[in-house]
């Protein structure tokens, strides 16, 4: 830390030098401090520099990196110092997408508490809920689904996939139940079935019960009946 302070004293009149991204990896000083989890260095850099969340040459920001790596305190520091609390990055992906993908529940809570859109869509209409469901992060899914502002409980992305479909493919039955109980639209589930080529684990996977698939494709089936398919 003392070394960093000495460097700042030397370059204080021209701090842009410390934001140089000319190295091959495209990282600047703040990116490096975040990547290595050095909170005290991040505090020093943020107090001195105008841009508190600069993007590197590849479009990634320090907040993206902190959310991905699970550095909660660094996330708090950056969020406190920027106007847009969940900024869109590459392909309109946000720090909330990145945290949800890796199951960092506390960071997801932090971002959700500080932003209006609790389940934002990226360029492919993929949401944090999609990421949490496909990776089996039950409590992140629960957090998102219990937000009153989240109206779509089982949104469809540009490829026709829903959180329910991802969870079922990977065998996360508890997340499937959670989505249905939260009000995941049955027509979305049937749309998933109709767009799936196989039921062998590469697409929509349900318990192997006689008549299960025909039952779930029935337009009159109630969500409670769908839940029964996952009761075992």
């Amino acid at each position: 830390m003392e070394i960093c302070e000495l460097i700042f004293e030397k370059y204080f009149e021209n701090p842009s030098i410390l934001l140089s991204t000319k190295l091959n990896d495209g990282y600047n000083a703040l990116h490096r401090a975040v990547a290595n989890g050095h909170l005290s260095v991040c505090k020093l850099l943020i107090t001195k520099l105008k841009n508190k969340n600069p993007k590197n040459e590849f479009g990634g920001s320090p907040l993206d990196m902190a959310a991905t790596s699970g550095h909660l305190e660094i996330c708090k520091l950056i969020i406190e110092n920027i106007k847009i609390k969940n900024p869109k990055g590459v392909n309109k992906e946000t720090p909330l997408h990145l945290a949800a993908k890796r199951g960092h529940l506390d960071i997801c809570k932090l971002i959700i508490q500080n932003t209006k859109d609790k389940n934002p869509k990226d360029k492919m209409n993929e949401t944090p809920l999609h990421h949490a469901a496909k990776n089996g992060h039950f409590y992140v899914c629960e957090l998102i689904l219990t937000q009153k502002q989240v109206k779509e409980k089982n949104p469809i992305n540009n490829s026709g996939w829903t959180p329910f479909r991802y969870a079922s493919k990977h065998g996360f039955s508890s997340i499937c139940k959670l989505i249905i109980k939260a009000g995941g639209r049955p027509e979305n589930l049937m749309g998933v079935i109709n767009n799936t080529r196989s039921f062998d684990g590469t697409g929509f996977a349900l318990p192997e019960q006689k008549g299960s698939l025909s039952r779930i494709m029935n337009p009159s089936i109630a969500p409670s009946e769908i839940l029964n398919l996952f009761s075992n």
Side-chain angles (χ1 to χ4, degrees), residues 47-103:
T47 58
K48 302 293 186 181
L49 302 173
K50 287 185 178 181
N51 189 346
K52 313 298 184 182
N53 192 40
K55 293 183 179 181
N56 63 20
E57 293 179 359
F58 309 105
S61 72
L63 183 55
D64 290 335
M65 298 171 66
T68 298
S69 301
H71 299 315
L72 176 61
E73 294 304 317
I74 294 177
C75 285
K76 286 181 181 177
L77 174 67
I78 297 173
I79 286 174
E80 288 171 358
N81 284 277
I82 60 177
K83 185 175 181 179
I84 300 174
K85 308 300 184 181
N86 190 38
K88 293 181 179 180
V90 178
N91 295 322
K92 295 185 178 181
E93 194 171 49
T94 69
L96 183 55
H97 283 88
L98 300 171
K101 188 182 298 184
R102 290 159 181 81

Side-chain angles (χ1 to χ4, degrees), residues 121-145:
K121 296 179 179 180
D122 65 15
K123 188 176 181 180
M124 295 300 295
N125 278 324
E126 193 99 341
T127 67
L129 182 58
H130 281 93
H131 288 306
K134 77 172 72 173
N135 289 289
H137 302 310
F138 178 89
Y139 292 108
V140 175
C141 290
E142 184 178 52
L143 171 68
I144 295 170
L145 287 166

Side-chain angles (χ1 to χ4, degrees), residues 15-27:
S16 62
I17 294 174
L18 298 174
L19 286 177
S20 173
T21 58
K22 292 182 179 179
L23 296 177
N24 292 334
D25 60 8
Y27 283 24

Side-chain angles (χ1 to χ4, degrees), residues 191-212:
V192 166
I193 289 286
N194 292 332
N195 289 328
T196 302
R197 296 181 179 178
S198 65
F199 304 96
D200 58 0
T202 60
F204 191 94
L206 286 170
E208 292 185 3
Q209 298 177 14
K210 186 176 181 180
S212 291

